[in-house]
Every structure is written in C-alpha cells, then in structure tokens.
Amino acid sequence: NAGVTQTPKFQVLKTGQSMTLQCAQDMNHNSMYWYRQDPGMGLRLIYYSASEGTTDKGEVPNGYNVSRLNKREFSLRLESAAPSQTSVYFCASKRGGFNQPQHFGDGTRLSIL
Amino acid sequence: KNQVEQSPQSLIILEGKNCTLQCNYTVSPFSNLRWYKQDTGRGPVSLTIMTFSENTKSNGRYTATLDADTKQSSLHITASQLSDSASYICVVSMNSGGYQKVTFGTGTKLQVIP
C-alpha cells in the first residue's frame, strides 16, 4: 500500500528558481492538501482541493500555486523561490466525512539558498 | 483566534515508564480532536480521534481523554517503548461553513531512552 507519495524527498534551490512538488495518492480520496511544517510551528495549510477540479487557498498561499491534475495527483508549484519558503512540505489526502483522518506523505525537504 | 497549545514541548522518559501529554485548545465550534504520531523524517499518522461526546478512547498503549467543557485533552502512553520516540501532534477540527477547518498544535517531542 503506497498511500500518499511525494517527490522529490529533498531539493535545494537558489532564490528565484522555480519548481514543482509532486503528490499522488492511491486511496481514491476526494480531498487533498498541501502543508508546510516549520520549526516551532504547527503544520500550516497552503492550499487544498476538496474534489477533483477545485482548489482553494489555505492559511499561507502567497508564493505558491497548485494544480489538481486528476483525482490522484495534486502538485504544488513555487514560481520564484524565496529563502522564506525553506521548509518541509507535506501532502495529505482524506476520504469524505468530518471524522476521517488525513493521510500524509513523508514530506519534501526544501532548502532555498 | 483558534489555537491549539501543547505541553510539554519536549519530554525524555525511561523505557517502560508512563507519560502524559497535554493539549489545550480554543477552537470553536468544536468538531473533533485527533492525536497524530510523527516519527522523525516521516509524515504524521493518526492515533485516535475524539468527538464531542467521547471522554476516553484507547488504542493499544495509547489512551486519549477529552474534557470538552475545559477544552483540554491528554494523551497517556503506558509502558513506553523505544519506538514511541516521536513527536505527538494534537489537531482540532471545527466546522466552518460546511468545510472542516483544522488547527494543528506544535507538538510534543518525546524521547524514550533505554
């Protein structure tokens, strides 16, 4: 059972470069999420997709864009990376229903120099 | 402001000992509270969920409690093992216009030593 798969696992970028973080889930979940995790802070929601074809901003969307490519895949793009975007990025997916848990990938560790 | 605060920030215990982690929240209206375990270098994994009407729920050696009146939850770990070394994150959900909004605590980092 793969669950939620994120690629790449590690990445180093220079300020101003762009890149796309990939996320895929094989659990047929409708909802998908992108979070960032920084030291001393709880996970913060960047963008989410409640269903295929829809995306909405979360708590910290500035500097990011997303694409819900199909039901399985949800990508996060940094158009012009900044040092403040150095973080660990987690993708999650969830079945419908308020009491269902989110299933997380193992993260992408991104450093921007 | 909706907040979730966890204590202690970090904890070191001897293998075999018990420990209790705390979570206080101000999230309203409350939907549910979930505890996640996050191993180093991995994503969080759900341990247990508490809804408004539940006071206690166990998952093996993990027991979560909820006091919805005082907006407090605890996670008790019994007979700790080395594999319990991880961060434990308290997450509180609220219903916001038909959408579930989730607030994460900053976690308690537990280290179990031999």
Side-chain angles (χ1 to χ4, degrees), chain B residues 30-48:
Chain B
F30 176 85
S31 177
N32 61 59
L33 183 148
R34 190 178 295 276
W35 284 93
Y36 283 87
K37 179 186 180 188
Q38 184 176 19
D39 292 318
T40 300
R42 305 297 299 272
V45 175
S46 177
L47 287 174
T48 185

Side-chain angles (χ1 to χ4, degrees), chain A residues 50-71:
Chain A
S51 61
E52 185 179 355
T54 69
T55 61
D56 285 287
K57 295 178 180 179
E59 181 184 356
V60 288
N62 291 346
Y64 305 95
N65 285 303
V66 290
S67 295
R68 183 75 183 265
L69 304 170
N70 47 55
K71 192 170 187 178

Side-chain angles (χ1 to χ4, degrees), chain A residues 32-100:
Chain A
M32 297 186 74
Y33 309 81
W34 275 106
Y35 293 93
R36 59 179 290 174
Q37 187 175 41
D38 300 295
M41 303 184 74
L43 279 100
R44 292 182 292 168
L45 182 64
I46 304 171
Y47 271 93
Y48 67 96
S49 172
S51 61
E52 185 179 355
T54 69
T55 61
D56 285 287
K57 295 178 180 179
E59 181 184 356
V60 288
N62 291 346
Y64 305 95
N65 285 303
V66 290
S67 295
R68 183 75 183 265
L69 304 170
N70 47 55
K71 192 170 187 178
R72 291 186 64 248
E73 298 173 287
F74 188 37
S75 63
L76 178 72
R77 183 161 178 84
L78 287 70
E79 291 292 350
S80 179
S84 61
Q85 295 177 304
T86 293
S87 187
V88 182
Y89 291 86
F90 286 98
C91 176
S93 71
K94 177 179 169 298
R95 183 178 303 172
F98 282 150
N99 291 341
Q100 294 297 320

Side-chain angles (χ1 to χ4, degrees), chain B residues 5-57:
Chain B
E5 295 184 352
Q6 294 187 241
S7 62
Q9 277 190 314
S10 62
L11 183 62
I12 300 175
I13 63 172
L14 290 173
E15 186 179 11
K17 297 296 186 183
N18 304 336
C19 67
T20 300
L21 314 181
Q22 301 290 343
C23 174
N24 297 337
Y25 63 92
T26 60
V27 174
S28 181
F30 176 85
S31 177
N32 61 59
L33 183 148
R34 190 178 295 276
W35 284 93
Y36 283 87
K37 179 186 180 188
Q38 184 176 19
D39 292 318
T40 300
R42 305 297 299 272
V45 175
S46 177
L47 287 174
T48 185
I49 181 174
M50 307 287 291
T51 58
F52 187 86
S53 58
E54 295 175 305
N55 299 119
T56 303
K57 184 174 283 187

